[in-house]
Amino acid sequence: MNLTLRVWRQQNAADPGQFVEYGANNISEHMSFLEMLDVVNEDLIRAGQEPIAFDHDCREGICGMCGMVINGVAHGPLQATTTCQLHMRYFKDGDTITIEPWRARAFPIIKDLVVDRSAFDRVIQAGGYISVTTGGTPDGNAIPIPKPDADRAMDAAACIGCGACVAACKNASAMLFVAAKAAHLNTLPQGKVEKDRRVVNMVKAMDREGFGNCTVIGSCEAVCPKEISLDFISQLNRDYLRAFLRAKE
Amino acid sequence: MNILVRAYSSSLGKKYVMAITGLALFVFVIGHMAGNLQIYMGRASINGYAAFLKSKPGLLWTARISLLAIVIMHITAALQLVSENRDARPAKYATGKPVAASYASRTIFISGLVIFAFVIYHLMHFTLGLTNPEFMSLQDPSDPLHHDVYGMMVRGFSNPFVSAFYILAMALLCLHLSHGVASSLQSLGIRNKSNVAAIHRTARIAALVIFLGNISIPIAVLLHWVR
Amino acid sequence: MLTTTTTSLDYRVAVEQLNGQTPKGPLADKWTRYKDHVRLVNPANKRKFDVIVVGSGLAGASAAATLSELGYNVKCFCYQDSPRRAHSIAAQGGINAAKNYRNDGDSVYRLFYDTIKGGDYRSREANVYRLAEVSVNIIDQCVAQGVPFAREYSGYLANRSFGGAQVSRTFYARGQTGQQLLLGAYQALSKQIGLGGVRMFPRTEMLELVVVDGHAKGIVVRDLVTGQISSHAGDAVVLATGGYGNVFFLSTNAKGCNVTATYRAYKRGAFFANPCYTQIHPTCIPQSGDYQSKLTLMSESLRNDGRVWVPRHLGDTRPPNEIPEHDRDYYLERKYPSFGNLSPRDIASRAAKEVCDEGRGVGPGGRGVYLDFRDAINRLGEHVIRERYGNLFEMYERITGENAYRVPMRIYPAVHYTMGGLWVDYDLMSNIPGLFVIGEANFSDHGANRLGASALMQGLADGYFVVPYTIGNYFAGEKPQKPNPGSPEFLAAEDEVATRTRRLLAIQGRRTVTDFHRQLGKIMWEKCGMARNEAGLKEALEAIPALREEFWQNVAVLGDGNDLNQSLEYAGRVADFLEFAELLVFDALHRNESCGGHFREEYQTEDGEALRDDANYSYVAAWEYRGVDERPVLHKEPLEYEEVHFTQRSYK
Ligand SMILES: Cc1cc2nc3c(=O)[nH]c(=O)nc-3n(C[C@H](O)[C@H](O)[C@H](O)COP(=O)(O)OP(=O)(O)OC[C@H]3O[C@@H](n4cnc5c(N)ncnc54)[C@H](O)[C@@H]3O)c2cc1C
Ligand code: HEM
Ligand code: HEM
Ligand code: SF4
Ligand code: F3S
Ligand code: FES
């Protein structure tokens, strides 16, 4: 099939950037979206033009490195699918596809479709962990964990940190990402110990990074490749309220 | 007070203020509607109700002041949240609109603002008598000591434009609440997978009831059912 | 000066043998004794030592976090935008540990023995035993960190059996074990970064190792965003940069996986051990066209219920469901009656290659075989299959657009793991003092073939429980005295990096980097893939230098070096692959035996089994760099077994 791409090109953070049109010709329906871009890039290089920069690594939907807004939808039309797992059979010959980077103050654009998501790392560094050091831990079976709790924790832990939730949210809020990590740890007995401290510090960091506030719109859940549920945002609100009321100023 | 300062200093704190004040206003609106619906029980009953309220100045003023405080908090929080949210997304996308986002959720701020405008007008209209000073001097024919709220409403809503604005405002209030109530329960961490459906249904129904109940009054007046 | 003897292939062999420095005493006590007697660094001094950790995968992240907890100053580097994205994240199946929670007779010894045997008797006994020993602590550690392992209704940890092991010792978190383990290590690392104990450098690529007076003292890196080239000095360098599977272009590895870090160290004098030991995984989704950029692994568990077959007759192009039973060749069941569809990775892979070479392969390019669930569905019902493999069938459909409940899956082997790596002693220190190598990057505990679910185990064992002890043993004998990054050695290294970058940009040729990489991959896969022979390997030794030659004449790298330039990064990595490939092939050529992942067609039993030559090849082949166009020098570490005895594998 033949397609027209409208791709956001931006040399660096300073450059205002603009859309540029490219033809993507004889694309096979078996290609992944990124392989389609590879082909376009190969042609660009042969034509002596700089290829389109985009992040990717595992190309298996697990590392969370890839991500672009395709026709206005983060990670594209297919539900529960990362950009690298999206295949061209979901597009039609003659389509025009608009490709943009994640857009959020907290995710400054580095180049073309590549953005800086280090804000997520800083949120985790603020409390997205259990304060255990290596060694001296009890036997793995010392604390039985009810299967439903373990499963719920796993549901939350499935987050790949791709940032699509922020990209899709009208308010560029990071609530789903933060809630997922907090819920993963707060749900497990090992994590309950520092629950209050964790949510307070993570939320503080989230605010510092300049993400928006959640007004319960729900786009994040809809685009999340790992189908992280809004439930976890509710749980974060609950856990934070608890910490908020217990806080000794 | 200190707790308020702390609340406003964090995004989730603001959400709690939003939610609690929002719910408080929600409750007020229901109660207020109940009061207003007495208009169908005749002049004496609603005028008596108004008179009863006025006869307890202490209670009335505490209510008024706390109501004012609530609205102010709700609005300040709203304005803060909204401006922060605008900053968080400086550059908009070229295509598409928010995925899976209900109309009510996207317009919550606009609907809120209109409701605000409405409340201002509404107070000037019926409470402060700035738009129609003559309303204030109306007397209940059967009991001259009572202010004729009944007559005031009838006259007020006989003006089709005024009624139209009221109805529009109620429509937006309905929209605002249809998202707002459910949203506030999420903000307070009460909503979850098992109750989410129920919460949404109840919220929508409540919003609709408030809408119908409230607009019934101007409509009844225009159709001369109440005269 | 090293004295050497020259051989028929005219490469030289060092006369002095390599010493793994394994502690004395009975196998089971070695590690305990080591820990009891290892020299310690006093806490006050620890913060005077700077450790550079390159890599944030299971090995790197766990090491960086633990070293920082001990009080060392740590700098950690990765090329991704976040340490959480290291390739370890992709591991699916699970992680082994000798917990014996199932009471099915597992033990440290059994895990040790299985690993040695699985590695086809080409790994260092003492290291493997230690690995099995600490495996139990890993699970405890991960649980404490909040890794959500699968659990029984009792609330206790669940296990599955994996990779043909007879005991059920594999711990897992859905199909995302690697992800969850890495997030555990990433959280520990993040904690230390938050506390200021670790400085993290994401989007930063190591391009040189700096050696001062024979000791590893730092690295030269390129900031991938600004293009700035800078030096970092330290008292020790820990490489945890993963495997080199991408030398084959198509593999199950992440696109960014590279040999650059380890190869640069090799060029600075570190020995590269057993590069020819590469593992091919039998159940991957076949290539669908030339544009293919990577291959996706399908869990091996599918072979429990799927039957592998190809058409009996050449040129039978009927759709699979129209091919009657008697025209199908269930070749695994035919060749290996007792193990059938469950025969081990290397055997199943080679069998698939054979039938495809005969021209009986299916799908685009004829490079695929059917994995058919028809009979299982008829026997157990579709719902059972859906229950067992639902998510895998979905993944398959997402990628191929085919419904495997209706038409058989198509699978083909793909490069998956590399057992070879930089040579290290018992302390996981390379022959360059102060250079430690952990995880898939070292020549590892897996010998010639890795068992399923044991790479995650090794990465975490090295990072959490081994290097934190052994690095102290090195520091105890050293003074904290990192040179300053302005010293001549650093400036020289920086200069080399800058020159190489400029050269790549100056070529302005006509062929893209991917073009070259794809062609290299084709050579490697055809001549040095699942099955190798002398003639083919020699052809490869002709073809690779020629391709490298052309690369430096004709590669097209656009843009400049002063901002994010992905083709430049890629070009640098492929340039190193183009040199490294030759080393890999040469190692394969020199090893005149078949063992584990290294199958030499000349050396097989009449029924096609790998034929080891323990008399002549039971050694670790550690190669020393002598120059791009020079043959490397071979250093041998003999493999002596105190506990186990050589036996021939058989799966008939
Ligand atoms: C698809 C797949 C499934 C697997 N499943 C399993 C399984 O079920 N069980 C199992 O035990 N094993 C499995 N493995 C193998 C296992 O995942 C890996 O061997 C292991 O995770 C390697 O970990 P590592 O820390 O050594 O390296 P990696 O996780 O690869 O980390 C490498 C790190 O080094 C950094 N790096 C690399 N080069 C440079 C450079 N030049 N400069 C700076 N930084 C650099 C990278 O950024 C990264 O942080 C699987 C592998 C694959 C591909
Ligand atoms: C007077 C001007 C008003 C403005 C500007 C306003 C604005 C807003 C905004 C922006 C929100 C979304 C905030 C969020 O979801 O976190 C909101 C929520 C809400 N508003 Fe209002 N509103 C106004 C009046 C009212 C009134 C009069 C009521 C009730 C009758 C009301 C009830 C609610 C409720 C229940 C919510 C949900 C709170 C939540 O989502 O946490 N609002 N309002
Ligand atoms: C059609 C719907 C409504 C009608 C008919 C109505 C009618 C009235 C009347 C008659 C009064 C004056 C009572 C008196 O003076 O004794 C009043 C006061 C008031 N109304 Fe409404 N109202 C309506 C909707 C609303 C809504 C939606 C709100 C808020 C969101 C609101 C807020 C108020 C307030 C704050 C006062 C002042 C109460 C006081 O302090 O005296 N009204 N309303
Ligand atoms: S919550 Fe979902 S969308 Fe957000 S980062 Fe995690 S995986 Fe990506
Ligand atoms: S879309 Fe945004 S508003 Fe909240 S529910 Fe999701 S973060
Ligand atoms: S590239 Fe790893 S998730 Fe897409």
Side-chain angles (χ1 to χ4, degrees):
Chain A
M1 63 179 110
N2 298 329
L3 307 157
T4 313
L5 307 182
R6 282 180 66 231
V7 185
W8 184 260
R9 301 304 304 266
Q10 182 173 333
Q11 195 40 241
N12 51 45
D15 175 19
Q18 84 282 10
F19 280 101
V20 181
E21 283 212 357
Y22 302 101
N25 300 328
N26 39 57
I27 296 303
S28 149
E29 59 159 24
H30 295 300
M31 289 183 185
S32 73
F33 196 83
L34 297 187
E35 282 167 346
M36 183 272 292
L37 285 179
D38 290 342
V39 170
V40 173
N41 275 343
E42 293 286 285
D43 295 346
L44 282 177
I45 295 171
R46 290 198 192 85
Q49 300 177 38
E50 257 201 78
I52 303 158
F54 61 88
D55 265 332
H56 66 95
D57 201 23
C58 73
R59 295 203 175 190
E60 279 187 25
I62 192 70
C63 75
M65 188 102 174
C66 70
M68 42 194 93
V69 173
I70 301 167
N71 292 333
V73 184
H75 283 312
L78 202 60
Q79 278 238 339
T81 306
T82 56
T83 307
C84 58
Q85 290 278 283
L86 174 65
H87 280 63
M88 294 313 290
R89 69 182 66 92
Y90 300 98
F91 298 87
K92 300 188 312 299
D93 184 37
D95 281 359
T96 298
I97 307 177
T98 307
I99 307 173
E100 301 175 77
W102 291 167
R103 294 192 184 279
R105 158 143 308 147
F107 289 168
I109 294 178
I110 293 173
K111 183 175 187 173
D112 296 346
L113 304 172
V114 178
V115 302
D116 176 354
R117 283 169 294 199
S118 49
F120 272 6
D121 289 317
R122 289 188 291 274
V123 171
I124 301 298
Q125 287 154 20
Y129 49 76
I130 291 175
S131 301
V132 55
T133 57
T134 303
T137 51
D139 182 87
N141 266 346
I143 326 159
I145 300 176
K147 194 172 190 306
D149 295 0
D151 289 344
R152 181 178 168 84
M154 181 61 215
D155 290 341
C159 165
I160 58 174
C162 63
C165 44
V166 176
C169 174
K170 172 174 152 297
N171 310 332
S173 163
M175 277 295 269
L176 195 60
F177 167 79
V178 177
K181 180 49 69 188
H184 158 212
L185 298 173
N186 293 353
T187 305
L188 297 167
Q190 310 91 298
K192 285 207 162 63
V193 183
E194 46 188 336
K195 199 171 158 196
D196 288 7
R197 199 169 146 264
R198 173 178 304 118
V199 288
V200 168
N201 292 336
M202 288 181 81
V203 168
K204 195 183 278 144
M206 172 177 82
D207 293 350
R208 209 186 302 121
E209 295 295 340
F211 291 106
N213 309 285
C214 175
T215 57
V216 198
I217 288 171
S219 310
C220 50
E221 182 185 42
V223 301
C224 173
K226 298 300 158 189
E227 299 182 295
I228 303 294
S229 152
L230 287 185
D231 261 29
F232 296 122
I233 294 187
S234 190
Q235 183 178 351
L236 175 59
N237 287 325
R238 190 160 64 243
D239 293 347
Y240 187 83
L241 184 56
R242 178 165 161 281
F244 185 79
L245 297 173
R246 290 161 140 218
K248 311 263 172 303
E249 317 308 309
Chain B
M1 269 305 102
N2 186 311
I3 187 154
L4 267 182
V5 178
R6 271 171 56 229
Y8 275 99
S9 65
S10 101
S11 56
L12 268 59
K14 289 191 205 82
K15 291 288 305 180
Y16 300 144
V17 175
M18 258 342 286
I20 292 163
T21 56
L23 287 175
L25 289 165
F26 172 61
V27 171
F28 164 77
V29 170
I30 291 176
H32 185 51
M33 176 179 75
N36 293 331
L37 288 176
Q38 294 178 42
I39 192 171
Y40 297 115
M41 296 156 72
R43 187 181 298 258
S45 104
I46 186 160
N47 287 359
Y49 167 66
F52 165 76
L53 289 178
K54 294 234 169 48
S55 67
K56 304 255 179 302
L59 205 125
L60 180 60
W61 280 101
T62 8
R64 285 177 166 175
I65 287 163
S66 42
L67 197 58
L68 188 67
I70 288 171
V71 170
I72 291 172
M73 281 194 267
H74 189 78
I75 297 175
T76 359
L79 293 174
Q80 281 190 16
L81 287 172
V82 167
S83 73
E84 286 173 7
N85 291 347
R86 297 238 161 100
D87 299 349
R89 166 69 45 75
K92 302 266 167 288
Y93 291 108
T95 45
K97 55 174 174 50
V99 187
S102 72
Y103 182 74
S105 70
R106 280 181 284 125
T107 54
I108 190 95
F109 186 58
I110 313 355
S111 54
L113 287 182
V114 175
I115 299 164
F116 182 61
F118 161 82
V119 173
I120 302 297
Y121 170 76
H122 182 56
L123 291 178
M124 303 198 307
H125 191 211
F126 283 159
T127 309
L128 311 167
L130 297 173
T131 55
N132 318 57
E134 69 280 11
F135 286 179
M136 294 299 105
S137 50
L138 294 169
Q139 299 177 343
D140 188 330
S142 56
D143 180 349
L145 297 179
H146 284 180
H147 173 220
D148 186 6
V149 175
Y150 183 93
M152 173 170 77
M153 289 211 263
V154 173
R155 285 168 194 234
F157 291 128
S158 313
N159 173 340
F161 298 101
V162 171
S163 295
F165 176 56
Y166 266 76
I167 292 170
L168 174 80
M170 292 311 111
L172 287 168
L173 176 64
C174 171
L175 191 69
H176 193 86
L177 293 175
S178 67
H179 174 67
V181 173
S183 160
S184 55
L185 295 178
Q186 169 87 355
S187 302
L188 293 171
I190 295 161
R191 187 168 89 170
N192 61 41
K193 267 209 178 60
S194 45
N195 64 17
V196 63
I199 287 179
H200 275 258
R201 212 178 316 106
T202 338
R204 294 220 172 74
I205 293 170
L208 199 64
V209 170
I210 290 173
F211 174 67
L212 296 174
N214 279 345
I215 66 166
S216 73
I217 298 172
I219 289 174
V221 171
L222 288 175
L223 299 179
H224 303 300
W225 293 342
V226 177
R227 69 162 72 80
Chain C
M1 192 51 230
L2 93 168
T3 47
T4 58
T5 63
T6 307
T7 65
S8 60
L9 281 168
D10 85 61
Y11 64 91
R12 294 176 301 155
V13 183
V15 171
E16 194 196 340
Q17 291 186 324
L18 268 176
N19 181 344
Q21 308 290 351
T22 55
K24 303 277 155 290
L27 185 62
D29 306 347
K30 286 183 192 288
W31 182 233
T32 320
R33 286 198 186 192
Y34 180 96
K35 288 188 291 183
D36 292 346
H37 302 299
V38 67
R39 295 176 296 172
L40 301 173
V41 180
N42 93 45
N45 278 348
K46 286 209 178 92
R47 82 186 111 72
K48 301 203 190 103
F49 287 98
D50 291 9
V51 184
I52 290 175
V53 178
V54 187
S56 63
L58 287 180
S62 54
T66 307
L67 290 170
S68 149
E69 287 165 7
L70 290 173
Y72 298 109
N73 292 318
V74 179
K75 286 182 177 178
C76 184
F77 299 79
C78 72
Y79 70 73
Q80 293 93 341
D81 70 331
S82 163
R84 69 178 289 149
R85 310 206 194 279
H87 170 61
S88 295
I89 202 99
Q92 303 166 350
I95 178 170
N96 287 335
K99 281 288 198 183
N100 192 28
Y101 282 159
R102 294 278 122 356
N103 191 35
D104 57 2
D106 196 10
S107 68
V108 167
Y109 185 87
R110 199 176 287 278
L111 175 54
F112 151 76
Y113 184 78
D114 289 353
T115 310
I116 289 276
K117 177 163 179 277
D120 220 358
Y121 303 92
R122 289 295 177 264
S123 34
R124 190 188 293 142
E125 205 178 31
N127 287 52
V128 178
Y129 195 92
R130 174 177 64 190
L131 174 64
E133 214 176 333
V134 299
S135 68
V136 298
N137 310 42
I138 295 174
I139 300 305
D140 303 344
Q141 186 63 34
C142 295
V143 167
Q145 290 170 341
V147 172
F149 284 120
R151 302 220 165 221
E152 311 285 358
Y153 280 103
S154 60
Y156 293 119
L157 291 157
N159 289 109
R160 60 161 73 134
S161 71
F162 196 76
Q166 290 144 308
V167 294
S168 187
R169 64 159 74 102
T170 304
F171 295 77
Y172 61 100
R174 299 220 178 119
Q176 293 126 275
T177 316
Q179 179 199 25
Q180 292 312 314
L181 294 173
L182 182 60
L183 291 181
Y186 163 73
Q187 284 161 208
L189 176 61
S190 299
K191 167 176 65 76
Q192 292 309 109
I193 297 171
L195 295 171
V198 178
R199 273 184 68 204
M200 186 70 216
F201 297 82
R203 289 198 196 269
T204 309
E205 182 164 29
M206 167 189 167
L207 294 174
E208 276 301 344
L209 174 74
V210 181
V211 179
V212 182
D213 317 329
H215 286 244
K217 288 293 184 186
I219 59 174
V220 174
V221 301
R222 179 170 179 272
D223 179 322
L224 299 181
V225 175
T226 65
Q228 210 212 2
I229 292 164
S230 63
S231 294
H232 295 267
D235 298 283
V237 176
V238 180
L239 292 186
T241 51
Y244 49 83
N246 279 353
V247 69
F248 291 86
F249 182 60
L250 286 181
S251 81
T252 61
N253 289 15
K255 291 295 287 174
C257 292
N258 65 84
V259 76
T260 293
T262 45
Y263 192 72
R264 291 284 139 201
Y266 166 70
K267 289 183 95 170
R268 294 284 169 181
F271 297 165
F272 211 113
N274 304 336
C276 78
Y277 292 159
T278 55
Q279 182 170 76
I280 313 275
H281 196 291
T283 53
C284 301
I285 301 178
Q287 183 172 0
S288 65
D290 298 337
Y291 49 77
Q292 189 93 22
S293 62
K294 81 153 291 177
L295 297 167
T296 304
L297 181 85
M298 300 287 283
S299 168
E300 239 167 332
S301 57
L302 288 168
R303 292 199 283 148
N304 296 331
D305 287 305
R307 294 181 70 194
V308 178
W309 65 277
V310 289
R312 183 174 300 278
H313 309 294
L314 272 174
D316 183 341
T317 54
R318 287 175 290 178
N321 295 338
E322 292 172 21
I323 299 179
E325 207 58 19
H326 57 80
D327 285 345
R328 300 178 172 201
D329 177 10
Y330 295 92
Y331 57 88
L332 281 178
E333 298 170 18
R334 175 167 57 80
K335 289 183 178 163
Y336 308 99
S338 61
F339 272 71
N341 296 300
L342 288 174
S343 32
R345 288 181 179 181
D346 50 344
I347 293 183
S349 299
R350 271 200 309 281
K353 178 178 188 294
E354 281 164 23
V355 294
C356 292
D357 290 346
E358 295 165 16
R360 296 193 287 146
V362 297
R367 288 270 149 208
V369 301
Y370 291 124
L371 180 60
D372 201 335
F373 291 84
R374 186 190 62 186
D375 301 354
I377 289 173
N378 295 342
R379 192 174 72 251
L380 308 160
E382 185 171 320
H383 62 286
V384 179
I385 298 302
R386 194 177 294 277
E387 228 165 71
R388 288 184 189 165
Y389 313 109
N391 54 343
L392 292 167
F393 277 54
E394 271 169 36
M395 175 166 89
Y396 182 80
E397 182 157 15
R398 200 180 286 126
I399 292 172
T400 63
E402 290 174 9
N403 174 349
Y405 296 101
R406 301 277 155 276
V407 292
M409 279 185 186
R410 284 175 298 107
I411 56 164
Y412 198 66
V415 175
H416 177 58
Y417 182 86
T418 56
M419 283 72 68
L422 291 181
W423 182 85
V424 290
D425 62 12
Y426 188 76
D427 283 7
L428 302 184
M429 184 162 82
S430 79
N431 57 301
I432 299 179
L435 177 65
F436 292 78
V437 190
I438 60 179
E440 191 173 346
N442 70 21
F443 85 102
S444 97
D445 309 345
H446 307 297
N449 174 55
R450 174 180 68 83
L451 293 181
S454 54
L456 299 179
M457 171 173 70
Q458 181 223 339
L460 291 178
D462 292 358
Y464 283 132
F465 299 111
V466 179
V467 126
Y469 285 91
T470 59
I471 207 169
N473 189 35
Y474 169 70
F475 284 148
E478 294 286 306
K479 281 189 195 51
Q481 53 181 0
K482 58 201 112 333
N484 84 28
S487 61
E489 292 85 351
F490 281 89
L491 297 180
E494 279 183 36
D495 194 57
E496 276 192 39
V497 172
T499 321
R500 194 159 59 239
T501 311
R502 257 186 268 103
R503 250 185 92 194
L504 284 168
L505 289 164
I507 298 168
Q508 300 286 343
R510 257 170 282 88
R511 282 184 69 184
T512 65
V513 180
T514 316
D515 250 13
F516 283 102
H517 194 186
R518 196 180 279 118
Q519 189 178 341
L520 174 66
K522 209 164 158 15
I523 297 170
M524 294 303 288
W525 182 239
E526 282 167 6
K527 310 286 184 210
C528 196
M530 278 180 274
R532 305 155 175 183
N533 61 54
E534 183 173 357
L537 292 167
K538 285 187 164 156
E539 284 165 39
L541 285 178
E542 298 297 315
I544 296 164
L547 186 62
R548 185 166 67 230
E549 188 65 21
E550 189 194 347
F551 176 88
W552 285 103
Q553 299 305 326
N554 195 23
V555 72
V557 183
L558 299 160
D560 58 30
N562 314 329
D563 68 356
L564 181 76
N565 185 338
Q566 293 171 322
S567 7
L568 180 61
E569 299 163 24
Y570 188 24
R573 293 169 192 164
V574 171
D576 289 332
F577 278 135
L578 281 165
E579 290 182 16
F580 170 73
E582 207 176 337
L583 175 66
L584 194 166
V585 172
F586 192 73
D587 183 44
L589 180 61
H590 116 281
R591 188 168 281 277
N592 292 319
E593 67 164 347
S594 295
C595 59
H598 170 64
F599 187 80
R600 281 285 298 272
E601 286 161 353
E602 305 92 322
Y603 308 100
Q604 50 180 310
T605 61
E606 58 286 348
D607 44 24
E609 295 303 331
L611 189 60
R612 273 195 343 253
D613 177 353
D614 296 326
N616 299 306
Y617 288 96
S618 61
Y619 62 78
V620 176
W623 299 96
E624 177 187 4
Y625 179 76
R626 302 303 268 174
V628 179
D629 303 312
E630 295 251 340
R631 286 280 167 251
V633 170
L634 174 63
H635 296 254
K636 294 184 180 180
E637 181 198 340
L639 293 167
E640 288 123 2
Y641 292 96
E642 303 169 8
E643 281 287 341
V644 297
H645 307 291
F646 294 109
T647 59
Q648 200 71 38
R649 298 193 311 170
S650 169
Y651 295 92
K652 288 249 127 195

